[in-house]
Amino acid sequence: MRKPQAAVGSGHRKQVDSQKGRKRRALSSSQANPAPEGLAGQQEAVVLQASVSPYHQFRDVAEVTAFRGSLLSWYDREKRDLPWRRLAEAEVDLDRRAYAVWVSEVMLQQTQVATVINYYTRWMQKWPTLQDLASASLEEVNQLWAGLGYYSRGRRLQEGARKVVEELGGHMPRTAETLQQLLPGVGRYTAGAIASIAFGQAAGVVDGNVVRVLCRVRAIGADPSSTAVSQQLWSLAQQLVDPARPGDFNQAAMELGATVCTVQRPACLQCPVQSLCRAHQRVEREQHSVSRSQPASPDVEECAPGAEQCQLCPPPTDPWDRTLGVTNFPRKASRKPPREEYCATCVLEQPRALGGARILLVQRPNSGLLAGLWEFPSVALEPSGQHQHKALLQELQSWAGPLPASRLRHLGEVVHTFSHIKLTYHVYALALEGQTPVTTASPGARWLTREEFHAAAVSTAMKKALVFRLYEGQQPGTCKGSKRSHLSTPSNRKKPSPGQQVLDSFFRPLTPP
């Protein structure tokens, strides 16, 4: 199955979409197995665009065959032992095999392999079949997914499982085309991965690792997110995929990018396709010219696209940097900065509740950011943050009734960045001292003990020390004085305060007896 998308420390996979309707020409059928038509020709037989310079293509069948053979031989020797690979290899039922691949592919999007392993193992133990997942509640899905991030992935995965069970007779679509057409949240990459690994379809895939490998192997230096580059990368992936072992080939390409052809410090000496890599050839040529005190000829001369600037070569404004070597490729895609949002949130606590201290969590709406997850009561704020104290108190009282406003203390601020949002939390605390403990809560709210808190579907921002670690210098619930601070980290905190130690202990995951 599919591999982490990037090397250790940078395993975030990125799908690359392709534009439709561009004229293409196929290589001979001896170079690759023709794939079924559909999805506006996305999974056509191996294709090359007539306008692309041969420098960015593979010359002939022999070169394609050499690339496949070298990569697969390396993969057979060096592939990592991962639970989803073991499961896919051992499972004979095609629907269960495709489901196992599907779960891993969704979890691995934007998430490192090391993080996914435990989540994947627990998921498959709890819901080993599509039918099991389809019968689960969204609350259960969110609970297991909590901490993995990008929570809509889990929700869409369950929606897809229900569609397969309720509308498709419990059988997964068998081709990349129908997978993408019929299953919610399944894009071109995921469809190709499932089809190739589970069903043996010769469908190429392009994720962040494959982008890096192909950009270096064929010296593609233009923005990978551009239409021209995206089309060429998908064309190359389809050209190269081995029709005899498509699933292994796709996993091998991703494995190469994850472990050898990494974002930084790639291990070129260990690369099985080094002799076919144009980026490496460029480095060697540069080194040779330096040793002979001769200027190196630029890539554009080898590309020779004609009078116009090649759409796949680096732009003139981004010349080759000799100090970067092969990491000149791929060019870093331009990204919009995340938009900034602000909210006020409060740790409302009953320190003397029966059975131990309890904190109030409320459930977010079933759509939008962190849909359906549980959090401390919060209100959105304007950037100025004006009137946040009053707005937050009103929100708290809507859940818990009349509260002592004078005890609402501002503790500090925490910044948590999601994929597209930079969210600043203004963190407050309020303890219900000397009041009759509340045992019930309004619909959509819960008073949770420590054990229940850890079992709840709580976001990383709430659960993993981004909010409650500000609750420093005090026993949980005492609220004696407030302390403004930013999030403490292991690098800037010399020694946790006594109150922090108590708080960390309160929220520390429980260990089984």
Side-chain angles (χ1 to χ4, degrees):
M1 292 192 155
R2 155 204 206 200
K3 294 209 120 187
Q5 115 180 351
V8 175
S10 178
H12 294 42
R13 133 180 331 181
K14 177 180 178 183
Q15 295 190 13
V16 180
D17 294 325
S18 172
Q19 300 297 317
K20 301 178 180 180
R22 184 175 178 109
K23 292 183 179 180
R24 302 164 176 174
R25 63 180 180 85
L27 289 178
S28 66
S29 58
S30 62
Q31 287 189 359
N33 236 17
E37 294 182 0
L39 289 181
Q42 286 182 356
Q43 300 297 342
E44 291 177 357
V46 178
V47 294
L48 287 175
Q49 301 161 10
S51 60
V52 175
S53 164
Y55 182 64
H56 301 297
Q57 301 176 9
F58 285 86
R59 290 192 303 267
D60 49 33
V61 176
E63 198 169 37
V64 171
T65 302
F67 187 96
R68 291 172 178 168
S70 297
L71 184 60
L72 284 169
S73 295
W74 169 83
Y75 180 69
D76 290 338
R77 296 190 310 269
E78 304 293 339
K79 65 180 177 182
R80 289 170 291 178
D81 180 24
L82 298 172
W84 43 90
R85 288 178 178 164
R86 294 196 300 270
L87 193 53
E89 290 170 359
E91 183 57 68
V92 295
D93 183 276
L94 290 181
D95 292 308
R96 295 186 66 155
R97 183 193 304 169
Y99 168 64
V101 176
W102 187 12
V103 173
S104 71
E105 292 301 329
V106 172
M107 286 189 172
L108 286 163
Q109 293 169 8
Q110 306 292 336
T111 308
Q112 293 182 348
V113 166
T115 301
V116 168
I117 289 175
N118 288 334
Y119 280 92
Y120 181 82
T121 301
R122 285 186 314 220
W123 182 286
M124 297 306 295
Q125 289 173 346
K126 189 175 182 67
W127 302 303
T129 68
L130 285 158
Q131 290 74 16
D132 294 322
L133 178 58
S135 63
S137 67
L138 179 59
E139 175 74 8
E140 290 177 302
V141 171
N142 283 338
Q143 283 179 352
L144 198 150
W145 202 276
L148 195 57
Y150 301 89
Y151 295 90
S152 61
R153 294 180 296 169
R155 185 174 67 252
R156 288 197 300 267
L157 186 54
Q158 188 193 36
E159 291 173 359
R162 285 180 172 170
K163 182 169 184 179
V164 171
V165 172
E166 296 170 4
E167 300 179 24
L168 303 178
H171 297 296
M172 290 281 289
R174 292 299 198 256
T175 66
E177 176 186 54
T178 53
L179 284 162
Q180 188 175 349
Q181 285 178 337
L182 299 176
L183 299 185
V186 172
R188 186 176 182 184
Y189 164 78
T190 305
I194 297 172
S196 62
I197 298 170
F199 303 129
Q201 180 185 355
V205 299
V206 176
D207 77 339
N209 285 318
V210 176
V211 167
R212 187 164 53 258
V213 169
L214 294 181
C215 281
R216 290 174 181 171
V217 168
R218 295 295 92 175
I220 298 174
D223 185 346
S225 64
S226 70
T227 299
V229 173
S230 179
Q231 288 179 335
Q232 178 65 4
L233 293 175
W234 279 100
S235 176
L236 289 171
Q238 187 60 43
Q239 177 188 8
L240 291 170
V241 62
D242 192 319
R245 298 177 61 187
D248 285 342
F249 180 87
N250 285 337
Q251 292 180 89
M254 292 183 281
E255 184 89 335
L256 184 67
T259 62
V260 175
C261 193
T262 53
V263 177
Q264 298 176 344
R265 295 182 293 278
C268 293
L269 294 179
Q270 301 173 26
C271 179
V273 294
Q274 181 195 81
S275 63
L276 299 170
C277 179
R278 298 220 189 281
H280 181 70
Q281 293 165 5
R282 173 70 185 266
V283 170
E284 288 189 322
R285 190 166 59 252
E286 291 277 345
Q287 293 173 344
H288 181 70
S289 64
V290 169
S291 65
R292 300 183 60 181
S293 300
Q294 294 179 351
S297 55
D299 257 2
V300 69
E301 291 184 8
E302 294 197 359
C303 174
E308 298 181 0
Q309 167 67 29
C310 174
Q311 289 184 305
L312 302 181
C313 283
T317 56
D318 190 14
W320 172 271
D321 184 341
R322 185 173 293 174
T323 64
L324 295 179
V326 299
T327 61
N328 276 281
F329 305 100
R331 184 186 181 198
K332 189 173 181 179
S334 57
R335 290 183 180 180
K336 293 181 179 179
R339 70 175 185 269
E340 295 193 12
E341 295 186 2
Y342 305 84
C343 80
T345 189
C346 180
V347 182
L348 180 61
E349 186 178 11
Q350 297 186 77
R352 293 182 174 81
L354 296 176
R358 291 177 180 267
I359 52 176
L360 182 68
L361 291 187
V362 299
Q363 192 170 31
R364 292 182 62 85
N366 288 326
S367 61
L369 182 68
L370 306 176
L373 298 185
W374 293 82
E375 66 179 3
F376 301 125
S378 305
V379 292
L381 300 174
E382 295 298 323
S384 64
Q386 291 182 345
H387 312 300
Q388 61 184 14
H389 187 282
K390 180 179 179 181
L392 182 59
L393 185 62
Q394 290 176 345
E395 176 71 9
L396 292 170
Q397 291 175 337
S398 72
W399 293 108
L403 296 172
S406 61
R407 294 185 185 174
L408 184 60
R409 304 295 183 90
H410 185 241
L411 303 178
E413 298 176 359
V414 166
V415 177
H416 185 70
T417 302
F418 299 90
S419 59
H420 58 294
I421 298 173
K422 180 180 179 183
L423 184 53
T424 299
Y425 292 92
H426 294 265
V427 186
Y428 288 77
L430 195 159
L432 302 181
E433 295 279 6
Q435 296 179 236
T436 303
V438 180
T439 56
T440 60
S442 304
R446 293 177 180 175
W447 287 101
L448 300 183
T449 63
R450 174 189 178 191
E451 292 82 359
E452 293 166 340
F453 176 86
H454 284 292
V458 181
S459 72
T460 300
M462 298 291 163
K463 193 173 185 179
K464 293 192 173 180
L466 292 182
V467 172
F468 43 68
R469 282 198 178 180
L470 287 173
Y471 206 175
E472 256 189 277
Q474 48 202 293
Q475 298 289 330
T478 60
C479 282
K480 294 181 179 178
S482 63
K483 181 178 180 181
R484 280 182 172 269
S485 65
H486 291 282
L487 174 63
S488 299
T489 63
S491 62
N492 62 29
R493 177 188 293 167
K494 295 182 180 179
K495 183 179 181 181
S497 65
Q500 179 62 47
Q501 294 176 35
V502 173
L503 187 65
D504 288 347
S505 175
F506 183 87
F507 287 107
R508 185 174 298 122
L510 298 177
T511 54

